[in-house]
Amino acid sequence: MPRREPGALVHDPAEVAARAVRMAVEGTVVAVDGSTVPAAVGSICLHGDTPGAVELARAVRAALTDAGVTPAPFTG
């Protein structure tokens, strides 16, 4: 969904974190229509220009770590 569409951005840190964990652990995402879609996830992108981006990133990192996923930087 384009970021400019209503509802495209999620601002609740708990919801963003839950979505990230679902992607990393289950390999699925929930589509706009509510269906669950398989997704091979190799990375998670958080847009730095999203309001509250730092808080969202902290919540995602903590939730991933709590779920047993070790966040790592990209390597060149």
Side-chain angles (χ1 to χ4, degrees):
M1 168 182 288
R3 294 179 73 206
R4 67 180 173 269
E5 294 293 321
L9 296 179
V10 180
H11 297 281
D12 175 42
E15 178 63 21
V16 172
R19 289 180 182 207
V21 169
R22 171 181 238 167
M23 286 189 290
V25 173
E26 298 177 17
T28 62
V29 295
V30 177
V32 177
D33 67 4
S35 62
T36 301
V37 180
V41 178
S43 65
I44 296 174
C45 175
L46 296 169
H47 290 262
D49 62 343
T50 300
V54 173
E55 180 183 4
L56 296 175
R58 287 183 179 133
V60 167
R61 182 176 185 82
L64 288 170
T65 300
D66 289 349
V69 178
T70 303
F74 288 110
T75 57

